[in-house]
Amino acid sequence: MGTSVSEFKARATEKSGDLRHRQFIRTALRGYESARDRRKHAFQSWESARTAAAATKWQAVNHLDEHLIALTGKLEARGTKVHWASTAAQAREIITQILRDKNARSVIKSKSMTSEEIHLNHALEAAGFVVVESDLGEFIVQLRHETPYHIVFPSMHLQRGEIRELFQRELGNAPSDTPEDLTMVARRVMRQKYLQAEVGFTGANFAIAETGMISITENEGNSRLTSALPKTMVTLLGIEKVLPRFADLALFLPMLATAGAGQPMTCYNTMYSGPRQPGEPDGPDEWHVVLLDNRRTELLADAEQRDALHCIRCGACLNVCPIFRNVGGHTYGTTYSGPVGSVITPHLRGLQEWKHLSNASSLCGACTEACPVKIDLHHHLLQNRRNAATAKPAALERLAYRALGVVAGDPKFWWLAKKIGWLAQPLHAVVEGTALDPAKAWTKTRDLPPMPKESFKDWWRNRK
Ligand code: SF4
């Protein structure tokens, strides 16, 4: 996917004009909203829970160095091999080398947005490995050669009929379009792949510093199979996933399930503390944990936006965002879409190249209100805009604001500007929408408000 402003605008224009897509996404998210609101009542106080979660993440992120040392020490003590990757390229190299060392031919993966962030599938396939996604939504988008549409619901943009056609075309089997039949088709294909794969790959939802454990939550049981069947397991996680204490999961697991999918708890919650120990019946013989920085420490150094590292990737901010609901997930052209993606992508991939995402926001604040860990998302979008403009001011914009400063700072100029506006208004009505309309670009998607009949000053004076 492209990254330029013009590509983003073209995709946004196309998607927001696609009424079928908009209606479909709205219907899907309406069900989520009612379920989430019902589940919030299971908390004694959702607001207090948010405050506690934000405080815990603040503590975790502000003592990240200590927590990471504690985590890795405990993991290694039980035989886990811990790797540190400063960049996406390093993480890809480490994982590729593990697969080579194991003489692997295929790898089965459970859902991991962090692996999407480092473009792992592409790298592994280029190195000659067969990669199979085992999460149903991810499996579907993989068959379509697409990236996930949403960080929690990767294939939410597809209808059952489209999935049936896809399975018929790619797998030669789609007896009907009922969810049960389609799931069974995918299940039969995947079971085979599980038995063939030499390496299982997982992401992680949380890492516990106190006990040296990785927590994975899922609804399909595919992560458990990914870690139980292949002899070697590889887990990739961003360093910000760490929580200080095991007891913190008592808050974060139900909170993630509620904010993410309107569930009381995700169906499967598994803790991993090391490879199979002597006498244990299952589990991998070897477990590698790859800790990824990829510019997270740069974000950590940014005191203003550090709280963006609190994100638990629940997707709640996407679900309530009026922009996401109209333009859809693929329009962003990023791994992380919606408000959180617009905040962190400029940090992870470059401010100037991705600043347009921070402009694609109404700044309504719905995302900040929905975020379970209280990330100040809409203010961070404003800060990104400011930082981008400060680092590389646009000459025309600077000139326009300077002119506005001069006009607004002098009553004579202001009076003159008003008069010009009043005179120009009827003329504009004549040329509106034609090639001669100087405001055509603006009025294409917005109204040009009429000038008031009198200024506030005149109104005040006339009112006596
Ligand atoms: S920013 Fe908040 S609401 Fe958005 S995905 Fe992260 S935790 Fe969820």
Side-chain angles (χ1 to χ4, degrees), residues 151 311-317 340 367 370-373 375 377:
I151 60 178
C311 180
I312 56 172
R313 306 279 188 262
C314 70
C317 57
V340 66
C367 49
C371 178
V373 287
I375 301 174
L377 290 158

Side-chain angles (χ1 to χ4, degrees), residues 66-123:
E66 296 163 28
H67 294 317
L68 287 172
I69 290 167
L71 171 74
T72 52
K74 294 211 162 56
L75 283 169
E76 284 171 340
R78 279 192 296 272
T80 304
K81 295 183 180 162
V82 178
H83 309 259
W84 296 85
S86 298
T87 62
Q90 265 183 20
R92 290 192 299 264
E93 272 166 35
I94 290 167
I95 296 166
T96 309
Q97 194 53 48
I98 295 169
L99 266 68
R100 285 199 182 115
D101 291 346
K102 302 315 296 178
N103 288 324
R105 279 157 301 157
S106 66
V107 53
I108 186 105
K109 279 182 77 216
S110 66
K111 189 172 180 309
S112 160
M113 288 308 290
T114 316
S115 77
E116 299 285 342
E117 177 188 325
I118 65 165
H119 307 296
L120 182 64
N121 287 13
H122 185 72

Side-chain angles (χ1 to χ4, degrees), residues 37 81 104 112 139 167 208 224 266 289 299 381 404 412 455:
D37 291 344
K81 295 183 180 162
S112 160
F139 179 68
F167 280 10
I208 309 300
R224 282 191 177 179
T266 314
V289 169
L299 187 50
L381 293 173
L404 177 66
K412 291 193 292 304
S455 68

